[in-house]
Amino acid sequence: MNSTRMRSAGPAAAALVLAGLVTAAGPAAAAPACTPRIQVLGSLGSGGYSVGNEQTEGVLALGPGNLSAGLSAGKPVYWTGTRLHKVPMPDATLSGAVLGVNRGGLMVGAVRGGDGYLFTYRAGDAAITRLPGSDWLSDDADVNDAGYVVSRTRPGLGTVWKDGRKVRDLAPPADAAPGTRIELVTGINNKGDVLGMAREDYEVPETGQHLEGTYPVLWPADGGPAKALARTANDAYVQDLDESGRIVGYDWNGMGYQYTPLTWTPPHPGPVGVPGVLNTHPYGTLEAISPTSNVSVGTAMFHPDQQTLPDQAQLWTGTGPLLALPRLAANRASAASSVSDDGRVGGAAVNAGGTLKPVIWTCATKQAYLPQ
């Protein structure tokens, strides 16, 4: 799931940056103290957590102040604090999710079912704005502080929209095998770098070699051609990038949840298999990275057929081992999908009654721990 997350802390946030500087008028007021806790947000659903099933609850994006967004009961929603608000849909029977939100509060989401499409929305608006050319394949998307929205479309291309209009196509790398298509577009930072994945399926006529699989692609902010990043031995799924160009994702090998967290660091010579996996689980993902603080989050997993422990939300500070985030209830599953520079981590967790709830871990690094 990705891929979905707040990546917004660039020039548009200059006023916020000043809050941490000493100016001619003297030091700015200190930021309010952070209280580590798990906030349980309002929800529409009452279902549980099933390994391998489509996500129905979760905080997929973290906006300014107390704004967060995602889905509940499979519907696109947003929250102010813990209070839930429905995104006004033209057809209430359709499912969907809010996938990203920028520092100005502009959300991007996807409608699933029917012909499917992407939309943008701001809290309080009477209706969503449908993005032209988007379709049911646009199942991952992001938005930066300048309001540029990125995703994939049916022709196998990535697309960039601004103010409701398509402004750029994102083609596969020039040296890609014939027939290569863009599989997903998962992120854009404030610089304008765009992250995604290409899928090839091609038999070389001269040798009979069959080229098949996915690999990461980066479209530079200057509008230059796509750059194919170094491949892994298996399928590499890149999920997010920060303002410096650090990339997080995971390697997939085999059926089910056989994932291994991966990171790429500029100039991206190849993925580095750090931080490994949480010491209690054999598999895991990294789904999001904070804009500037180098904190990544994801989910530690077992294979569905070998479930020794429930899934658990995990966090990496950029150094040392992966850490676990506290469960909402003992021996109940949890997952992390989004992270912000102010220490919040968004995701979902199962409560003591067995119900999956959207949650936010506040001061997450202060709560994270190394399981014994």
Side-chain angles (χ1 to χ4, degrees):
M1 163 62 269
N2 14 175
S3 159
T4 61
R5 303 156 296 265
M6 176 181 169
R7 312 175 182 90
S8 44
L16 295 179
V17 174
L18 290 177
L21 301 179
V22 177
T23 67
C34 183
T35 303
R37 57 178 172 163
I38 305 176
Q39 288 183 309
V40 179
L41 310 188
S43 60
L44 303 171
S46 58
Y49 182 91
S50 299
V51 173
N53 284 358
E54 184 176 339
Q55 186 173 358
T56 59
E57 303 280 338
V59 178
L60 306 182
L62 296 162
N66 66 352
L67 176 67
S68 57
L71 77 168
S72 184
K75 307 292 185 182
V77 300
Y78 66 98
W79 295 268
T80 51
T82 60
R83 182 183 177 188
L84 179 143
H85 308 269
K86 297 179 182 179
V87 172
M89 303 291 288
D91 183 348
T93 66
L94 296 177
S95 61
V98 178
L99 304 171
V101 58
N102 70 9
R103 196 168 289 275
L106 179 65
M107 306 177 205
V108 60
V111 172
R112 297 161 184 158
D115 58 352
Y117 53 87
L118 288 178
F119 64 85
T120 56
Y121 179 75
R122 289 185 186 275
D125 285 353
I128 61 175
T129 298
R130 181 169 177 165
L131 294 181
S134 61
D135 54 48
W136 61 272
L137 290 175
S138 307
D139 51 5
D140 209 337
D142 195 20
V143 58
N144 70 3
D145 284 352
Y148 287 95
V149 173
V150 295
S151 188
R152 170 192 64 163
T153 52
R154 189 184 299 272
L157 297 172
T159 301
V160 183
W161 292 267
K162 179 72 163 65
D163 299 326
R165 296 182 298 107
K166 187 174 81 167
V167 297
R168 182 186 175 192
D169 283 325
L170 302 170
D175 59 352
T180 296
R181 301 169 63 84
I182 299 306
E183 178 84 349
L184 287 174
V185 178
T186 56
I188 181 171
N189 61 17
N190 286 324
K191 181 181 175 183
D193 298 319
V194 180
L195 180 67
M197 293 176 291
R199 174 171 290 279
E200 65 181 4
D201 188 354
Y202 177 69
E203 186 170 297
V204 181
E206 295 79 8
T207 65
Q209 180 186 12
H210 191 192
L211 305 176
E212 185 176 12
T214 64
Y215 57 89
V217 175
L218 188 69
W219 292 270
D222 61 11
K227 173 186 176 183
L229 305 188
R231 307 183 186 206
T232 66
N234 306 298
D235 283 344
Y237 282 76
V238 288
Q239 296 298 292
D240 199 8
L241 77 167
D242 71 2
E243 297 306 322
S244 74
R246 287 182 293 246
I247 294 170
V248 298
Y250 49 89
D251 188 58
W252 177 72
N253 179 27
M255 301 298 293
Y257 279 21
Q258 295 182 22
Y259 304 141
T260 303
L262 291 176
T263 59
W264 289 256
T265 302
H268 310 113
V272 179
V274 294
V277 295
L278 191 66
N279 61 3
T280 52
H281 291 69
Y283 307 117
T285 67
L286 289 177
E287 304 286 352
I289 185 170
S290 59
T292 63
S293 61
N294 199 22
V295 175
S296 306
V297 298
T299 304
M301 304 169 177
F302 276 81
H303 190 284
D305 297 334
Q306 302 167 346
Q307 199 76 27
T308 303
L309 291 172
D311 292 356
Q312 186 162 10
Q314 60 184 10
L315 176 149
W316 189 48
T317 64
T319 61
L322 271 165
L323 304 174
L325 287 170
R327 299 182 186 274
L328 184 58
N331 204 36
R332 298 289 191 176
S334 61
S337 306
S338 53
V339 57
S340 64
D341 276 341
D342 62 10
R344 291 176 294 162
V345 169
V350 179
N351 66 15
T355 301
L356 183 65
K357 293 290 186 180
V359 299
I360 292 176
W361 289 265
T362 61
C363 311
T365 57
K366 295 182 180 180
Q367 299 190 58
Y369 65 96
L370 186 65
Q372 301 299 316

